Amino acid sequence: MVELGHRYRVEDLVPHRGPMCLLDSIDDYGEDWLRARVTPRPGDRFAVAEGVPAWVGIEYMAQAASAFGGIEQVQRGERPSIGLLIGARYYRCMQDTFPFGTPLVVLVKIAMRDAEDFAAYDCRLTSDGRDVAECTLKAYRPRDLAALLVDGARG
């Protein structure tokens, strides 16, 4: 159960660092949802001349989902760990790029999660109050990533 009312910075919740930490802020969260914000800028990691390509929206959503899981971990006294994006169902974006300087609100809501931390998140990006992208992300946050990678390498 998530304790409400705390303020968090993105870097407190998401293991990404430097140019791969794409979110600007965590605006709010609830028992099963989180709202974050990002404003695309010309110097961003995936920026092109026209803005940030629409496909980066999936990563905005994935990092917001990771931030939600990070809140749960931080509140248990743990460090936020890496989550694995397993896939996206029906990513639909209503534009080709996200223009520079235009804030995006990233909303993620848990649609399903099991005891092993496999989860599905219903996600939306909005700009100026209108939906600009949506999808359902599937993710997994392993309890022991190192063991998973070693076991996976053994086949």
Side-chain angles (χ1 to χ4, degrees):
M1 182 177 224
V2 174
E3 185 178 314
L4 305 178
H6 298 280
R7 299 290 301 162
Y8 295 101
R9 299 174 309 151
V10 174
E11 54 270 18
D12 296 334
L13 305 174
V14 177
H16 298 72
R17 294 293 177 256
M20 286 308 298
C21 185
L22 303 182
L23 300 177
D24 294 331
S25 65
I26 306 301
D27 292 349
D28 201 4
Y29 65 95
E31 290 292 324
D32 63 351
W33 61 271
L34 179 134
R35 187 176 63 238
R37 186 173 305 272
V38 60
T39 300
R41 294 177 178 82
D44 287 353
R45 175 69 178 101
F46 300 105
V48 295
E50 304 81 35
V52 173
W55 56 264
V56 178
I58 290 176
E59 184 62 19
Y60 294 151
M61 294 169 179
Q63 288 192 20
S66 179
F68 180 83
I71 289 173
E72 294 176 316
Q73 289 180 303
V74 166
Q75 289 185 359
R76 289 192 305 259
E78 302 168 6
R79 287 182 43 168
S81 63
I82 292 173
L84 305 174
L85 177 60
I86 296 172
R89 181 172 183 230
Y90 188 68
Y91 178 69
R92 183 172 75 109
C93 190
M94 294 69 157
Q95 54 196 59
D96 294 332
T97 59
F98 301 120
F100 297 132
T102 302
L104 297 170
V105 174
V106 188
L107 182 64
V108 296
K109 183 176 183 348
I110 294 175
M112 179 287 301
R113 182 167 54 184
D114 70 11
E116 297 299 316
D117 271 344
F118 283 96
Y121 292 85
D122 291 328
C123 307
R124 282 187 303 149
L125 292 178
T126 64
S127 178
D128 294 325
R130 64 180 181 83
D131 289 351
V132 295
E134 62 187 10
C135 81
T136 299
L137 291 182
K138 295 175 181 128
Y140 173 54
R141 186 180 301 267
R143 301 205 194 307
D144 186 350
L145 181 62
L148 177 70
L149 294 175
V150 168
D151 289 345
R154 290 184 192 149

